[in-house]
Amino acid sequence: MERIGFLSFGHWGPGQGSRTRTAGDALLQAIDLAVAAEELGMDGAFFRVHHFARQQASPFPLLSAIAARTTRIEIGTGVIDMRYENPLYMAEEAAAADLISGGRLQLGISRGSPEPARQGAAAFGYVPEPGETDADMARRHTALFRKAITGAGVAEADPRYAGGASGLLPVQPQSPGLAKRIWWGAGTRKTAVWAAELGMNLMSSTLLTEDTGVPFHELQAEQIHLFNDAWTAAGHQHAPRVSVSRSVLPIVDEEDSRYFAGAALRDGRDQVGIIDGLTARFGKSYAGAPDVLAEQLAADTAVQAADTVLLTVPNQLGVDFNAKLLGNITRHIAPALGWSPGP
């Protein structure tokens, strides 16, 4: 494990015990937690993107604000639903955030998961073309976005207003190197291979929409190995990145026990369910004493196969609690897995 970061789903609401009661709380606390994570020597601050829900939804203002308050930590998403995106506007936003950060943006994207709105992407103005599925539309948006961030021309110049230029104009600004820092959130082995063939990094999902009967971490490790093999076969000239997400909840005091002792008993095994009409396998939570968690994570084959582990955080418990949680992981668990803090 070379890098660890946190992954926040950005929940907010007035529920009992919530320290993140408004959207403003969620955004400002996310910035503060990223600053605290960098001070702990962590490597990344990542945010899930959901629409029509009390969660983080518009990532680029948040990522830009974090970029302005930090100097080293990677900033990213896990993941942006490409069904909802205007690819060219997103290319401008992503490049601007990357330039503000000095090239620290790691952008996770995907075809998306079920959302609260029945036709959410259509409400944003995006519907599949004739013969397309939602997944096809997401991939079409992805292809244009990736083309745009490489500096390729995408709109015909008007010589009257383009200084006499002709041909196709690229979007501006451009951020060199961003194209190599795009990750695909893959929920199956097949999509992981597809991402590798196209040269996108792999952000292995918190669930896989297939179930072969083996433990989640073994199925995920198989996905990673297939991705690496496909990357090699494709002949890309740079090394890929691979991340997995885990819920790691060390119990070191009475406050931790009050929150997580139930999870240690309830969520310590994989779960199988139905999502979007497909059988899906969900990974277990790791809750318990730090030395026990270190042993369990060392036996997690997907954690060992990935270079980056994203730790999901209970963001509604507030900045102080989550900084304490992440500190306990960086001090008592991650070093046993080969990780060392950044400068």
Side-chain angles (χ1 to χ4, degrees), residues 77 110 122-123 127 151 199 248 255 272:
T77 54
S110 83
V127 295
V248 180
E255 183 182 38
V272 177

Side-chain angles (χ1 to χ4, degrees), residues 144 278 319 339:
L144 181 53
L278 299 170
V319 176
W339 175 82

Side-chain angles (χ1 to χ4, degrees), residues 11-22 25-26 29 259 314-318:
H11 293 284
W12 55 273
Q16 183 178 2
S18 173
R19 298 184 177 95
T20 310
R21 306 182 71 82
T22 68
D25 290 341
Q29 289 177 19
Y259 285 129
N315 75 281
Q316 282 189 274
L317 294 181

Side-chain angles (χ1 to χ4, degrees), residues 22-330:
T22 68
D25 290 341
L27 290 164
L28 295 173
Q29 289 177 19
I31 298 168
D32 289 342
L33 185 58
V35 171
E38 181 170 84
E39 291 172 350
L40 290 168
M42 294 184 68
D43 305 292
F46 288 73
F47 299 89
R48 184 70 167 89
V49 178
H50 274 293
H51 301 287
F52 300 105
R54 289 181 172 180
Q55 293 179 247
Q56 304 288 6
S58 52
F60 294 109
L62 173 61
L63 296 176
S64 296
I66 292 173
R69 288 278 306 276
T70 58
T71 60
R72 181 190 55 81
I73 197 169
E74 294 180 338
I75 56 175
T77 54
V79 289
I80 294 174
D81 185 335
M82 292 302 290
R83 295 175 298 176
Y84 284 77
E85 295 298 321
N86 178 314
L88 300 187
Y89 183 66
M90 180 177 167
E92 295 178 345
E93 294 275 278
D98 196 42
L99 290 168
I100 292 170
S101 73
R104 291 183 280 137
L105 186 63
Q106 302 286 342
L107 204 59
I109 61 178
S110 83
R111 59 85 64 205
S113 59
E115 297 276 359
R118 189 182 300 275
Q119 296 291 336
F124 274 50
Y126 304 113
V127 295
E129 294 180 349
E132 272 192 335
T133 65
D134 279 358
D136 293 333
M137 179 176 68
R139 294 186 184 203
R140 172 165 51 84
H141 287 182
T142 297
L144 181 53
F145 166 73
R146 295 184 66 225
K147 178 181 179 180
I149 61 174
T150 65
V154 293
E156 185 176 353
D158 185 337
R160 297 174 300 169
Y161 306 108
S166 60
L168 296 177
L169 298 175
V171 298
Q172 297 292 351
Q174 288 287 314
S175 187
L178 176 58
K180 292 183 179 179
R181 287 180 271 114
I182 305 302
W183 305 59
W184 186 259
T188 66
R189 292 165 294 180
K190 181 178 179 180
T191 52
V193 169
W194 172 81
E197 291 170 346
L198 292 181
M200 288 186 283
N201 301 302
L202 175 63
M203 189 169 280
S204 189
S205 178
T206 51
L207 62 90
L208 297 176
T209 53
E210 53 190 350
D211 178 34
T212 64
V214 303
F216 176 80
H217 72 98
E218 293 182 10
L219 182 60
Q220 196 173 43
E222 180 184 351
Q223 181 196 49
I224 294 169
H225 293 316
L226 290 170
F227 169 85
N228 286 330
D229 289 345
W231 186 281
T232 300
H236 301 302
Q237 297 303 303
H238 62 286
R241 295 273 303 274
V242 175
S243 75
V244 297
S245 301
R246 291 292 183 268
S247 178
V248 180
L249 307 169
I251 299 176
V252 301
D253 58 27
E254 291 185 5
E255 183 182 38
D256 299 334
S257 182
R258 185 166 66 252
Y259 285 129
F260 304 139
L265 298 174
R266 182 184 64 249
D267 301 329
R269 61 180 183 274
D270 292 352
Q271 302 176 54
V272 177
I274 303 295
I275 185 169
D276 214 15
L278 299 170
T279 301
R281 180 169 285 269
F282 303 75
K284 66 182 181 181
S285 294
Y286 290 90
D291 58 337
V292 173
L293 298 188
E295 292 180 4
Q296 292 176 343
L297 288 165
D300 185 315
T301 54
V303 167
Q304 298 305 314
D307 61 80
T308 302
V309 175
L310 301 180
L311 306 165
T312 58
V313 293
N315 75 281
Q316 282 189 274
L317 294 181
V319 176
D320 290 344
F321 180 85
N322 279 289
K324 182 191 78 168
L325 181 151
L326 294 175
N328 286 330
I329 294 173
T330 59

